[in-house]
Amino acid sequence: MSTAALLKEISDGDVFDRAAVKALFDLPREDLFARADAVRKDNMGDEVFLRGIVEFSNVCANDCLYCGIRKSNHDVRRYRIEEEEILEVAHRMEGWQQTTIVLQSGEVAADKEDERIERIIRRIKTETRLAVTMSAGNRPHDTYARWRAAGMDRYLLRFETSDPDLFAFLHPDCDLEERIGCLKDLRGLGVQVGSGFMIGVPGETSDILADNILLCRDLDLDMIGIGPFIAHPDTPLAGQANAYAGDTDMFFAAVAALRIVNPKAHIPATTAFDAIFPHAGRDLVLQRGANVFMPNATPGRFRKNYMLYPDKPCVDEDDHQCSGCAAARVWSIGRVIGQGPGHSIKVR
Ligand code: 5AD
Ligand code: FES
């Protein structure tokens, strides 16, 4: 099929199958990127929503093979940020046009931490106008329900890969079915659901990448975050090359295809892109399909202990610096900062 014919076909959204997604990867990259940017503009407009992320605890019970804060990494100093300090960050954010707070942590078994988080969500919803997104892994339905009742608006939980065997290899503590079950629980509770995957984990093929993009569509996600796999030296995957190491433009092609197949999802320009392309990666992603930026809002002194992968940017900055930097980056590419909470635009 010619480029023009393919681009026409893809304007009809749901027609995609694996072969059609793979055909997108093979388009001249400039055509693919331009198309993704146009689909973003038509569906999401020129607003870029700023959602500050607070990495409020790095305590984790899991041993995901790729992750720098896996429980077996004893070089990490474990921390939990106190309730009061999280609230202070939330209050500061409001003055910086950040209308959502994203609270991310490792995954721990249901315990007192769940109650603490419930209290923090309730306080943020009472004391500020922020939308609250949680990202704390697989949790029991009951925990999600309590957080929802406390005011949680959204949840981020990547499925990481759509291939069940690769998922099982990467996650000794969990299987893919269980992960998808959590996403369904959240949807059932009326929570806006975000998921996504890593691009180029060792063992990933272009078939799997295409299926990852299709699974995002099939799950009808409200938000989709994807970013390149980066080998962490203190993990079992140390030294392993990204599957697209020879063609890093594939990382952007993945985002562009993701946008074309998921026109109405919020798609962030994820931090891992800046690890690979310092000071430029996230800007390029915003111009190739993304419409959300998540400035790091974690208090500076904790940042070096939340290294999911090496070369994570912003480790020497604080929340105020990242906020200013994010806004400047949005303006520098001719876009505007999103007003209002930036909820899902999907109607169900
Ligand atoms: N490289 C890239 N992304 C990673 N993540 C965790 N470890 C790595 C890594 N080594 C991503 C996962 C997780 C998100 C919070 O960070 O996709 O869902
Ligand atoms: Fe942190 Fe630019 S976003 S320094």
Side-chain angles (χ1 to χ4, degrees):
M1 201 184 300
S2 72
T3 303
L6 182 67
L7 287 175
K8 180 172 177 318
E9 177 173 336
I10 62 186
S11 50
D12 311 324
D14 285 342
V15 297
F16 277 95
D17 57 12
R18 183 195 276 175
V21 177
K22 287 175 69 178
L24 290 179
F25 301 150
D26 293 335
L27 285 175
R29 291 277 155 82
E30 289 313 316
D31 293 347
L32 174 63
F33 297 157
R35 178 70 190 190
D37 198 43
V39 173
R40 182 272 306 159
K41 192 176 168 72
D42 286 351
N43 290 278
M44 313 305 283
D46 279 336
E47 290 189 304
V48 175
F49 289 96
L50 301 181
R51 319 210 202 266
I53 176 160
V54 183
E55 297 147 339
F56 69 92
S57 163
N58 66 356
V59 179
C60 193
N62 288 358
D63 246 337
C64 306
L65 262 64
Y66 47 82
C67 184
I69 64 167
R70 65 202 300 274
K71 82 164 174 232
S72 296
N73 185 0
H74 299 294
D75 292 340
V76 175
R77 267 184 73 160
R78 303 290 163 173
Y79 68 84
R80 280 196 175 95
I81 305 182
E82 297 291 331
E83 180 173 330
E84 284 310 323
E85 190 166 8
I86 297 172
L87 265 292
E88 280 166 27
V89 174
H91 283 288
R92 275 204 295 279
M93 255 182 204
E94 275 205 289
W96 297 335
Q97 294 184 279
Q98 295 180 22
T99 51
T100 295
I101 184 169
V102 182
L103 295 173
Q104 187 173 83
S105 72
E107 183 174 315
V108 290
D111 67 355
K112 288 210 299 291
E113 180 72 350
D114 286 15
E115 287 166 37
R116 184 177 90 98
I117 294 169
E118 184 181 338
R119 217 166 41 239
I120 292 168
I121 296 170
R122 186 164 287 118
R123 278 192 65 188
I124 294 173
K125 294 301 289 186
T126 319
E127 298 176 27
T128 76
R129 298 171 57 204
L130 297 171
V132 173
T133 301
M134 287 300 308
S135 176
N138 291 15
R139 302 277 179 145
H141 184 276
D142 182 57
T143 299
Y144 290 151
R146 284 159 175 272
W147 292 352
R148 176 69 178 143
M152 172 173 83
D153 299 281
R154 314 188 191 119
Y155 204 92
L156 303 179
L157 181 62
R158 291 186 181 175
F159 58 76
E160 312 294 357
T161 178
S162 61
D163 184 275
D165 296 330
L166 188 53
F167 187 101
F169 167 70
L170 294 170
H171 303 100
D173 310 286
C174 165
D175 63 38
L176 181 60
E177 212 181 323
E178 197 182 326
R179 179 65 53 98
I180 305 282
C182 287
L183 297 173
K184 299 212 159 127
D185 285 352
L186 289 158
R187 168 61 47 75
L189 289 163
V191 177
Q192 295 168 52
V193 177
S195 190
F197 54 87
M198 285 181 289
I199 311 163
V201 287
E204 180 181 304
T205 59
S206 58
D207 280 359
I208 296 177
L209 177 58
D211 288 353
N212 289 348
I213 291 173
L214 292 170
L215 180 56
C216 290
R217 178 197 64 191
D218 296 344
L219 291 169
D220 193 22
L221 298 171
D222 300 296
M223 300 94 71
I224 310 171
I226 71 173
F229 159 78
I230 305 168
H232 191 296
D234 303 324
T235 65
L237 299 185
Q240 297 254 356
N242 187 291
Y244 310 108
D247 173 20
T248 52
D249 252 11
M250 260 309 275
F251 302 149
F252 297 103
V255 177
L258 181 76
R259 166 57 74 200
I260 291 166
V261 179
N262 297 272
K264 296 202 184 296
H266 286 294
I267 298 180
T270 57
T271 311
F273 277 92
D274 265 32
I276 299 197
F277 309 97
H279 311 293
R282 283 184 281 181
D283 310 48
L284 287 169
V285 177
L286 285 174
Q287 294 171 290
R288 294 167 175 181
N291 73 312
V292 171
F293 194 107
M294 297 167 64
N296 193 326
T298 308
R301 67 186 189 285
F302 298 107
R303 294 187 180 192
K304 63 176 184 313
N305 291 313
Y306 206 87
M307 298 295 274
L308 307 182
Y309 43 81
D311 302 321
K312 191 160 166 258
C314 309
V315 172
D316 299 320
E317 277 77 18
D318 63 19
D319 58 340
H320 187 241
Q321 285 167 304
C322 286
S323 171
C325 173
R329 291 172 80 161
V330 171
W331 293 324
S332 79
I333 57 167
R335 304 269 278 281
V336 295
I337 294 174
Q339 305 295 313
H343 285 316
S344 177
I345 64 162
K346 293 197 174 186
V347 187
R348 295 200 174 83

